[in-house]
Amino acid sequence: MTTISEDLFARARRVIPGGVNSPVRAFGSVGATPLFIERASGSRVFDIDGREYIDYVASWGPMILGHAHPAVVEAVQRAAERGTSYGAPTKSEVELAEQIVDAFPAMDEVRMVSSGTEAVMSAVRLARAFTGRDRIIKFEGCYHGHADSLLVTAGSGVATLGIPGSPGVPDTLAELTVTVRYNDSASLTAALDRFGDETAAVIIEPVAGNMGVIPPRPGFLEDVRRLTSERNILLIFDEVITGFRLTYGGAQTLFDIQPDLTCLGKIIGGGLPVGAFGGRREIMELLAPQGPVYQAGTLSGNPLAMAAGLAALGKLRDNRATLYDDLEHKATTLCRRMEIAIDKRGIPAVINRIGSMFTLFFASGAINDYEGAKTSDTERFASFFRVMLAGGIMIPPSQFEASFVSTAHSDDDIESTLVCFETAMETAFSR
Ligand code: HOZ
């Protein structure tokens, strides 16, 4: 008998390309059918067939407080009662911008958009306008959304599907994107020696989250900052995943590095469709209507998203003295216990973790870059994934993604996850 999810997926495939509205949801690389989700609450998601899962996807990161946090739900309900979109300024946009600028010392000004992709696309345009140069440098395996210039050797769904670039991106544009190795300062230096005079910006996920989690080596981000400053190249931090997650103020606060521009995403909308980019005033003031660089959007600063963002970030701000330690404690407990199980079995698997984000790679040795991540046994991952899912544990359906712990995960959730983990590892390594 087919499940409701399977029926819906069959219907979806007739009217939606691939049956999904974002490729990473398709479960193709893990040999399963996507679950259609009916609702979510706290640490749990519930599918349309009535099954319950402990969720580590967290809508790909933003649910730091868990799903449907009462403060966020109430804020959205109240905002909706006042109208869902005006196409005109609101007080909530000012308040959220103030809170973001306050949290990120490198940002003097911030512009709201509707997604992380839009934030990055706009930041790159701004960097090109500010410097008068066209090239950008990105790191292999880092994913910055699906804007044309950034789909080169990208992570996330692009890595999962094994697509090196994307048809539809003109060669003349792709050629302006130079890729270098993450965690390899020499690789960046070599690219800058060759292209430095033509380069507008270096863009980086300060902690990579889209080739699986890969933290920066000590000194790497410092090198990136120094090398870009020396050549008057803008440094763009893509903190769509790390902003407000690693700590209040993001990776740049944790590592004490000041980028020139920062991109934020779904986290600042408490999971609603939002993005933002911000940075030094002299750069940001090039934006229309102040300056000549055009960027716009009817739904930018949407009142529902601003209300949700204010509620979510307000909780993070007010509880930051303990909240990030709590997240760290939960994630450490989970990952250490998984590592003990891995060591006991002597199997080729390694966990990369920083704060509340982690990836279990089915590979041996340290994973420090995209080349390393790609040595993972994705079939083994797929088998592991399917047993976890059958056991009621939802992790991202790809080896090249991050799992996230939220404040809503309980000790019992972690224990249940570990029980299922043992069975899933048993299955993955039984062949
Ligand atoms: N950045 C997310 C994946 N790591 C995007 C999710 C999506 O593409 O749907």
Side-chain angles (χ1 to χ4, degrees), residues 201-214:
V202 171
I203 183 164
I204 188 168
E205 291 179 81
V207 170
N210 284 290
M211 48 179 144
V213 171
I214 301 192

Side-chain angles (χ1 to χ4, degrees), residues 74 126 187 231 296:
E74 193 193 330
L126 193 52
S187 165
R231 291 164 174 84

Side-chain angles (χ1 to χ4, degrees), residues 22 24-25 60 143 156 209-210 241 266 401:
S22 194
V24 294
R25 296 178 200 169
W60 305 93
Y143 176 72
S156 191
N210 284 290
I241 289 181
K266 43 216 163 200
E401 297 287 357

Side-chain angles (χ1 to χ4, degrees), residues 112-120 146 240 264-266 273-276:
M112 302 295 172
V113 291
S114 296
S115 71
T117 291
E118 211 186 321
V120 169
H146 62 92
V240 167
L264 298 168
K266 43 216 163 200
V274 194

Side-chain angles (χ1 to χ4, degrees), residues 133-212:
R133 304 172 188 162
D134 288 341
R135 260 187 219 284
I136 56 169
I137 295 180
K138 76 175 280 291
F139 292 84
E140 292 165 4
C142 281
Y143 176 72
H144 304 288
H146 62 92
D148 282 352
S149 298
L150 293 152
L151 277 180
V152 184
T153 328
S156 191
V158 184
T160 306
L161 296 173
I163 298 173
S166 176
V169 176
D171 288 345
T172 45
L173 198 55
E175 279 159 15
L176 292 175
T177 303
V178 176
T179 56
V180 294
R181 273 169 93 109
Y182 187 80
N183 264 332
D184 184 345
S185 307
S187 165
L188 177 60
T189 304
L192 290 174
D193 286 347
R194 185 150 173 226
F195 300 114
D197 292 348
E198 305 160 30
T199 300
V202 171
I203 183 164
I204 188 168
E205 291 179 81
V207 170
N210 284 290
M211 48 179 144

